[in-house]
């Protein structure tokens, strides 16, 4: 049976509309009012409390959260972020910083008492509540406080007033006296003055106001007035409905909606601000009782209903169906094709459709047969509808159909003029739709797609490979292995685009693959159903994830992906057809008709920001994110509760975020709870973008600064103190260690010093007996000569000499002044003993300070040696000994020089005399003990200056230590 159906008069539901109900978290029977706050969040009053919807989740507030009455008629967002809750008959509350504040928590709310459910007027953060029936008080709620403005409208006991249209800018609201002739009066709430207006209304009239527009509804009569000069009303529009109206609404665009008692709404397209009369409304939602209508900030439309939850229709869908309403356009489209006469649709049943001039005409091929369409071919007046096991040839001119042979069809491909290729499970068959003849092209092969590329050759795709087939020899050759091609189209000479089932799109020529286009290069999915060519560089790909437009730009690609958010009725796209700037898209929820230009000029971002509704820090939830957010170790976990109210994404929302101060990388999460665990102490900035379903992100990130405070042991001052204490302790330990080493060394040096001093004493002990022995020999010699006078003189000098020797032998160092006096005493004694055999001189340079000290008894042995070995044996000349003290700039130089026979060996560093040996030993001892460097040099003056004598030089670098008091 073949049946042609005309378009239906109404469509039950707008394609693209979404229904939110109990399964989505909206668990109630009645949804009453709808409102939207400044951040874009939706608030729903219901018989089961209040709900907040952020586009992804419903947040429920009921008696567990503090509502004393869960039958919430209105949720009223205020500019300060609070949401005032107006329930059925009192028990008012408000939501502030995520917490419900009721009258038990704030007694100010108990002041608000009404006998009837009130009306309200919003002025920023102030809310004015008044009864519509005989108002006596206007309550002002602001920031948790309640004030009153008394009003007196009744003048007679029988007066009954209906109050409406409060406006606090001019402090006037309007009264309708039910028993006073229906006159409308302007009542000044400050001066209490009444002014009779120029119109009247009946008792059954319901009046709403938006700006200066008033809509009067009296039963089925609708009158629209505009207010002038506060008291003059001018009727600008009127309309009479054929159905009873339960409620009327003026949306944010000043468009009128009528909620019908029997179900559905009437929508008037034009704004009430326009001058023309109200045209016939569009009826929609007729199967549902609608309680309220809201047009949000993005011009999306919301319907609250009785027993059916919440309905949402995005602006793009709504406009499309209002401007071009297609009746009977909800079927599941599996294929689409076009020619010059129209657009042809194949459904997932034995039914097709023809779209022409804004209407879809259904074609029923067989009733109650659930076999879907696989392909449609349209050329001129001929349309071939290919179902899975049925093929029908339809003539659009004479509306005649013809059954074709039965095949298990996979695809239909244009072939030669007047013929097509049928891709079937049994092979590739050519069908001439003019002569109605069939020809086998390739037998016994399961073919899914094909494309002629030469007069005698074509491509044929099986379940897994692509072959080249000769139509002359019927021979096939494997061309591309491992690709399940679902569609192949020619872009230009020797360039083809193949849609694959899993591997994206393959571009190839007659010999090889040129390029692969996959998800990694920008496609939404690798499973491609159909390809539609726009021109030689641009083609469209249909997928289960929307529609993709691919543009070839030399070696580059530009890919644009489009989904429901861009106006597609569904993301399950079977195919598309192009006609100029218009693209017809066949989806699982009907036909979409879109402008390519509009698609390409859509914004690449979403004009919204992520909302951080609360932050959990240190185990405490913070709702006011303007206050400092801090946590402290060890409670250093931070949880951000975020929302992105992009309702067109229909919950398919994710978040891209980073934490400056912790990491420079970005992460993505689909959860509305973004948790950061075990953060180290520091200052951080949380940045987050909202990502919509189509990959578009919010135009700017939302930022929140927070701090993780350290415990005192993690603070810089504590760490500095610990480091300082540690450094001090380490310093002390090192000091103690080195002090111990130093003490040990000093102890060693002390014993070495003792040993050296003992050695020095021993040396002195050796020197003194030697010297005394010489003196005694001299005394013996004088006595032997019986020269008693000389002996007496000698003994006197000898006594002085002995006293000084004993005195200086106890000292380590002695001043130069004392050293010279000692030397003079010694030389005088020796001169007396030797009968003036020699003369001597002792000189001290002006560069030398006589208080400088030198090692005691160091010079005397060298003077003694000069006498004994230098001048004692002279016969031809008188001996001469010179002792001088000079300063070279770095050391003290002591020179002992005689004119004796000389030593005959030139420069000497050692002498043979016992005294000299002892002196050299003392020099070494001084070096070890006091770090006093003494250099000894001995010269034969004959070899040096060609004159007799010996010269001894002692270079002394003074030991500058307070322990020895040796300075220069």
């Amino acid at each position: 049976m073949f049946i042609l159906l005309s378009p239906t008069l109404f469509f039950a539901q707008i394609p693209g509309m979404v229904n939110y109900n109990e399964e989505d978290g909206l668990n109630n029977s009645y949804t009453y009012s709808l409102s939207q706050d400044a951040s874009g969040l939706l608030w729903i009053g219901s018989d089961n409390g209040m709900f907040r919807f952020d586009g992804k989740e419903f947040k429920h507030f009921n008696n567990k959260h503090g509502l004393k009455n869960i039958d919430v008629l209105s949720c009223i967002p205020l500019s300060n972020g609070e949401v005032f809750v107006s329930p059925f008959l009192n028990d008012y509350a408000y939501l502030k910083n995520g917490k419900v504040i009721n009258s038990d928590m704030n007694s100010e709310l108990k002041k608000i008492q009404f006998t009837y459910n009130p009306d309200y007027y919003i002025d920023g953060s102030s809310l004015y509540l008044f009864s519509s029936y005989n108002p006596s008080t206007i309550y002002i709620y602001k920031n948790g406080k309640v004030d009153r403005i008394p009003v007196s409208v009744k003048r007679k006991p029988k007066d009954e007033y209906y109050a409406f249209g409060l406006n606090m800018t001019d402090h006037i609201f309007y009264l309708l006296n039910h028993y006073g002739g229906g006159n409308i009066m302007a009542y000044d709430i400050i001066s209490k003055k009444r002014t009779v207006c120029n119109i009247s209304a009946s008792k059954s009239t319901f009046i709403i106001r938006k700006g200066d527009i008033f809509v009067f509804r009296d039963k089925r009569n609708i009158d629209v007035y505009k207010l002038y000069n506060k008291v003059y009303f001018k009727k600008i529009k009127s309309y009479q409905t054929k159905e009873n109206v339960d409620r009327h609404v003026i949306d944010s665009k000043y468009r009128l909606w009528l909620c019908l008692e029997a179900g559905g709404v009437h929508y008037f397209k034009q704004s009430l601000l326009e001058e023309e009369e109200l045209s016939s409304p569009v009826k929609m939602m007729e199967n549902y009782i609608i309680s309220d209508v809201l047009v949000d900030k993005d011009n999306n439309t919301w319907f609250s209903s009785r027993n059916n939850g919440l309905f949402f229709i995005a602006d793009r869908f709504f406009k499309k169906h209002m401007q071009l309403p297609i009746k009977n356009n909800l079927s599941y489209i599996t294929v689409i094709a076009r020619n010059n006469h129209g657009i042809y649709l194949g459904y997932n049943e034995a039914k097709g459709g023809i779209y022409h001039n804004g209407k879809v005409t259904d074609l029923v091929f067989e009733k109650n047969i659930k076999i879907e369409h696989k392909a449609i071919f349209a050329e001129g007046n001929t349309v071939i509808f290919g179902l899975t096991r049925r093929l029908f040839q339809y003539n659009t001119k004479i509306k005649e159909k013809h059954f074709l042979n039965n095949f298990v069809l996979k695809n239909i491909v244009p072939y030669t003029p007047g013929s097509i290729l049928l891709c079937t499970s049994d092979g590739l068959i050519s069908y001439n739709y003019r002569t109605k003849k069939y020809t086998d092209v390739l037998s016994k092969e399961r073919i899914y797609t094909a494309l002629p590329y030469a007069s005698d050759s074509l491509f044929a795709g099986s379940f897994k490979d692509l072959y080249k087939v000769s139509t002359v020899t019927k021979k096939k050759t494997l061309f591309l292995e491992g690709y399940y091609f679902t569609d192949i189209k020619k872009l230009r000479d020797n360039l083809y685009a193949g849609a694959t089932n899993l591997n994206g799109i393959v571009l190839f020529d007659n010999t090889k693959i040129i390029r692969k286009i996959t998800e990694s290069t920008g496609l939404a999915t690798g499973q491609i159903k159909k390809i539609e060519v726009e021109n030689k560089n641009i083609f469209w790909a249909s997928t289960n994830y929307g529609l993709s437009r691919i543009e070839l730009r030399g070696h580059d690609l530009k890919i644009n992906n489009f989904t429901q958010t861009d106006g597609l009725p569904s993301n399950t796209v079977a195919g598309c057809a192009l006609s100029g700037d218009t693209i017809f898209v066949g989806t699982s929820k009907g036909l979409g008709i879109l402008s390519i230009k509009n698609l390409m000029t859509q914004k690449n971002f979403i004009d919204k920001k992520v909302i951080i509704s609360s932050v959990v820090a240190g185990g405490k939830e913070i709702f006011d994110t303007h206050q400092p957010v801090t946590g402290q170790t060890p409670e250093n976990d931070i949880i951000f509760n975020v929302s992105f109210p992009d309702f067109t994404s229909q919950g398919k929302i994710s978040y891209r975020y980073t934490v400056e101060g912790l990491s420079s990388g970005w992460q993505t999460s689909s959860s509305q709870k973004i948790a950061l665990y075990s953060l180290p102490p520091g200052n951080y900035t949380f940045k987050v973008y909202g990502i919509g379903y189509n990959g578009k992100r919010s135009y700017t990130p939302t930022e929140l600064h927070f701090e993780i405070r350290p415990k005192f042991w993690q603070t810089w001052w504590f760490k500095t103190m610990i480091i300082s204490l540690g450094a001090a302790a380490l310093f002390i330990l090192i000091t103690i260690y080195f002090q111990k080493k130093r003490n040990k060394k000093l102890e060693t040096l002390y014993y070495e010093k003792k040993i050296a001093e003992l050695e020095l004493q021993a040396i002195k002990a050796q020197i003194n007996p030697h010297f005394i022995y010489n003196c005694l020999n001299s005394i013996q010699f004088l006595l032997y000569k019986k020269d008693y006078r000389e002996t007496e003189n000698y003994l006197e000098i000898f006594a002085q000499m002995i006293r000084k020797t004993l005195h200086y032998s106890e000292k380590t160092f002695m001043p130069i002044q004392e050293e010279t006096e000692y030397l003079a005493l010694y030389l005088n004694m020796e001169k007396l003993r030797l009968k003036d055999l020699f003369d001597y001189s002792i000189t001290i340079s002006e560069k030398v300070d006589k208080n400088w000290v030198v090692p005691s008894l160091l010079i005397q042995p060298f003077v003694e040696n000069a006498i004994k070995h230098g001048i004692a044996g002279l016969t031809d000349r008188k001996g001469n000994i010179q002792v001088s003290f000079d300063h070279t700039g770095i050391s003290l130089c002591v020179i002992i020089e005689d004119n004796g026979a000389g030593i005959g060996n030139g420069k000497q560093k050692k002498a043979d005399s016992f005294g000299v040996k002892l002196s050299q030993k003392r020099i070494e001892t001084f070096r070890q003990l006091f770090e006093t460097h003494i250099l000894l040099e001995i010269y034969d003056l004959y070899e040096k200056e060609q004159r007799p004598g010996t010269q001894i030089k002692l270079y002394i670098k003074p030991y500058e230590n307070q322990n020895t008091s040796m300075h220069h």
Side-chain angles (χ1 to χ4, degrees), residues 660-724:
E660 292 184 353
L662 180 67
S663 171
S664 59
W666 290 82
Q667 300 182 55
T668 302
S669 173
S670 59
S671 173
Q672 292 186 283
K673 291 184 180 294
I674 299 176
L676 307 172
Y677 296 110
S678 301
L679 291 173
N683 288 286
Y684 303 97
T685 300
F686 175 70
K687 287 187 176 182
V688 59
Y689 285 97
I691 307 295
Y693 177 63
N694 202 21
K696 296 178 182 178
R697 75 179 190 184
S698 53
Y699 73 100
T700 186
T702 299
E703 298 184 7
L704 181 66
H705 300 281
F706 66 97
E707 180 186 4
I708 300 297
R709 292 177 178 173
K711 285 293 187 181
F712 72 90
W713 61 80
Q714 294 176 312
T715 57
W716 66 268
W717 59 265
F718 184 81
K719 291 180 180 179
T720 303
M721 182 181 70
I722 291 298
I723 292 172
S724 300

Side-chain angles (χ1 to χ4, degrees), residues 130-396:
F130 62 94
S131 174
S132 298
Y133 181 77
N134 287 334
S136 61
T137 303
I138 297 176
Y139 293 96
I140 308 170
Y141 168 82
K142 183 175 183 179
N143 295 325
K145 298 293 185 180
V146 176
D147 292 323
R148 298 184 181 96
I149 299 177
V151 296
S152 179
V153 298
K154 292 184 67 173
R155 290 182 172 177
K156 298 178 182 179
K158 291 184 178 181
D159 284 348
E160 291 186 5
Y161 286 94
Y162 168 57
F164 62 93
L166 174 65
N167 188 333
M168 292 305 298
T169 301
D170 50 23
H171 44 83
I172 287 178
F173 75 121
Y174 297 88
L175 304 173
L176 172 60
N177 191 343
H178 288 166
Y179 293 101
N183 293 323
I184 292 178
M185 290 177 292
Y187 177 83
D188 191 313
I189 62 175
I190 296 178
S191 66
K192 314 299 182 183
K193 179 181 177 181
R194 302 171 186 233
T195 304
V196 178
C197 300
N198 63 314
I199 60 171
S200 62
S202 67
K203 182 178 180 180
S204 60
T205 303
F206 294 90
I207 306 170
I208 60 173
R209 177 183 185 178
K210 185 173 182 64
D212 289 332
I213 299 298
F214 289 75
V215 179
F216 289 55
R217 174 172 59 86
D218 182 9
K219 297 178 182 178
R220 295 185 178 183
N221 296 316
I222 306 296
D223 294 313
V224 182
Y225 290 88
K226 187 172 183 181
L227 178 66
Y228 295 90
N229 298 323
K230 300 181 183 179
V231 296
Y232 180 76
F233 289 83
K234 179 182 178 181
K235 184 187 289 188
I236 58 175
K237 305 175 194 297
S238 61
Y239 182 79
Q240 188 169 19
T241 71
K242 297 179 181 180
E243 301 176 72
N244 292 334
V245 179
D246 178 64
R247 186 181 182 190
H248 60 297
V249 177
I250 304 174
D251 68 20
S252 59
K253 304 296 183 182
Y254 280 86
R255 294 172 298 197
L256 181 62
W257 300 77
L258 304 179
C259 302
L260 307 177
E261 288 183 356
V265 294
H266 280 165
Y267 164 70
F268 295 86
K269 294 182 181 180
Q270 71 269 38
S271 169
L272 297 179
L273 299 176
E274 298 174 3
E275 294 183 357
E276 65 268 20
E277 281 289 335
L278 292 172
S279 61
S280 297
V282 176
K283 186 177 182 180
M284 60 187 74
M285 309 299 294
E286 56 262 40
N287 294 329
Y288 306 99
I289 302 297
I290 303 302
S291 305
D292 195 10
V293 180
L294 171 71
V295 176
D296 66 21
K297 295 178 180 180
D298 298 316
N299 212 31
N300 305 311
T301 304
W302 300 81
F303 302 99
S304 63
S305 72
R306 185 172 69 191
N307 299 322
N308 290 285
L310 200 63
F311 292 90
F312 166 80
I313 174 70
D315 177 45
R316 200 167 278 119
F317 291 110
F318 190 85
K319 284 181 178 178
K320 181 172 59 178
H321 289 280
M322 290 301 104
Q323 296 169 359
L324 185 64
I326 306 173
K327 312 301 182 183
N328 197 35
N329 184 32
L330 290 176
S331 297
Y332 194 121
I333 300 173
T334 58
V335 291
I336 184 172
R338 68 170 291 270
N339 62 13
N340 294 331
H341 300 292
I343 303 295
Y344 304 93
L345 310 173
Y347 302 133
N348 63 342
E349 55 183 321
K351 184 177 75 171
I354 301 175
Y355 171 80
H356 184 67
N357 291 333
K359 297 180 181 179
V360 174
T361 302
D362 284 347
L363 302 173
V364 178
F365 301 106
E366 292 180 286
K367 284 188 175 182
N368 301 321
I369 301 296
K370 298 297 182 182
I371 54 175
E372 67 178 7
H373 280 76
K374 287 292 186 179
I376 297 177
F377 170 81
E379 179 65 35
N381 293 323
T382 300
V383 181
I384 297 175
F385 291 87
L387 286 79
T388 305
R389 292 183 177 85
R390 303 282 195 278
L391 275 85
F392 299 93
Q393 183 172 329
Y394 179 68
N395 189 305
T396 58

Side-chain angles (χ1 to χ4, degrees), residues 20 40-41 53-57 298 302 312 565 606 608-611 642-656 668-674 688-698:
Y20 296 103
L41 297 172
F53 185 52
D54 61 6
K56 192 167 186 175
E57 291 182 355
D298 298 316
W302 300 81
F312 166 80
T565 60
I606 299 171
K608 298 180 185 298
K609 289 181 67 175
V610 172
I611 300 168
V642 296
S643 298
F644 187 49
D646 179 39
F647 299 117
T648 57
S649 291
Q650 298 178 16
K652 298 178 176 64
I653 290 168
S654 59
Y655 301 91
R656 185 168 173 78
T668 302
S669 173
S670 59
S671 173
Q672 292 186 283
K673 291 184 180 294
I674 299 176
V688 59
Y689 285 97
I691 307 295
Y693 177 63
N694 202 21
K696 296 178 182 178
R697 75 179 190 184
S698 53

Side-chain angles (χ1 to χ4, degrees), residues 695-894:
K696 296 178 182 178
R697 75 179 190 184
S698 53
Y699 73 100
T700 186
T702 299
E703 298 184 7
L704 181 66
H705 300 281
F706 66 97
E707 180 186 4
I708 300 297
R709 292 177 178 173
K711 285 293 187 181
F712 72 90
W713 61 80
Q714 294 176 312
T715 57
W716 66 268
W717 59 265
F718 184 81
K719 291 180 180 179
T720 303
M721 182 181 70
I722 291 298
I723 292 172
S724 300
L725 291 176
L730 182 62
F731 176 77
I732 292 171
L733 290 175
I734 293 173
T735 302
I736 291 173
Y737 172 75
F738 283 106
Q739 184 66 36
K740 285 184 177 180
K741 287 192 69 176
R742 184 170 178 271
N743 290 340
K744 189 173 182 181
K745 183 177 180 181
L746 288 175
E747 187 177 359
T748 302
L749 290 175
Y750 173 76
Y751 288 113
E752 290 178 351
K753 180 180 178 181
K754 284 294 183 181
I755 294 172
E757 288 177 348
L758 291 174
E759 288 180 351
L760 188 59
Q761 294 294 332
I763 292 169
K764 291 179 180 179
Q766 292 175 347
I767 291 174
N768 294 337
H770 174 71
F771 170 70
I772 293 171
Y773 175 76
N774 289 336
C775 290
L776 291 175
N777 280 339
S778 297
I779 293 171
Q780 183 181 8
F781 176 74
L782 291 174
L783 290 174
Y784 179 76
K785 291 173 60 178
K786 297 182 181 181
D787 190 348
Y788 300 111
R789 186 180 180 85
E790 287 296 324
T791 301
E792 185 180 353
N793 290 337
Y794 191 86
L795 284 173
E796 184 179 351
I797 296 172
F798 176 68
Q800 295 180 24
M801 186 71 187
I802 288 296
R803 283 196 300 272
K804 286 186 179 291
T805 299
L806 292 175
H807 173 71
Y808 292 133
S809 66
E810 297 295 327
K811 294 185 177 181
T812 303
F813 293 91
M814 59 189 298
I816 292 176
Q817 176 69 36
E818 295 182 10
E819 177 71 23
T820 56
E821 291 176 355
Y822 178 78
L823 289 176
L825 184 63
Y826 170 72
L827 287 169
N828 287 331
M829 189 182 68
E830 287 293 274
K831 186 177 180 182
L832 181 63
R833 184 176 66 87
L834 296 177
K835 302 293 187 181
D836 290 328
L837 183 64
F838 67 93
D839 293 324
Y840 73 91
S841 66
I842 300 174
T843 60
I844 301 174
S845 171
E846 294 180 355
K847 299 177 182 179
V848 176
D849 188 344
K850 294 181 181 180
N851 293 320
W852 289 352
V853 295
V854 293
S856 64
L857 305 180
L858 176 65
I859 302 172
Q860 186 271 338
F862 295 102
V863 174
E864 180 184 354
N865 201 59
I867 296 171
K868 182 177 179 180
H869 300 287
I871 63 173
L874 290 180
T875 57
D876 58 339
R877 60 184 179 276
K878 191 175 184 178
N880 186 25
I881 295 176
Q882 298 178 2
V883 180
S884 63
F885 294 84
D886 199 2
H887 188 259
T888 64
I890 58 174
S891 62
L892 179 69
C893 180
V894 181

Side-chain angles (χ1 to χ4, degrees), residues 34-89:
L34 300 171
S35 57
Q36 189 178 28
D37 65 20
S39 62
L41 297 172
L42 197 70
W43 296 89
I44 305 108
S46 78
D47 63 344
N48 189 26
M50 176 176 64
F51 292 85
R52 186 196 73 189
F53 185 52
D54 61 6
K56 192 167 186 175
E57 291 182 355
F58 286 92
K59 171 68 174 177
H60 187 196
F61 298 90
N62 55 19
N63 58 319
K64 295 179 180 178
H65 299 86
L67 292 180
K68 297 171 69 175
N69 187 343
I70 63 172
D71 204 8
V72 177
L73 299 180
S74 299
C75 308
I76 309 170
L78 303 176
S79 63
N80 60 0
E82 295 180 1
V83 179
F84 192 85
V85 183
S86 178
F88 182 75
L89 291 179

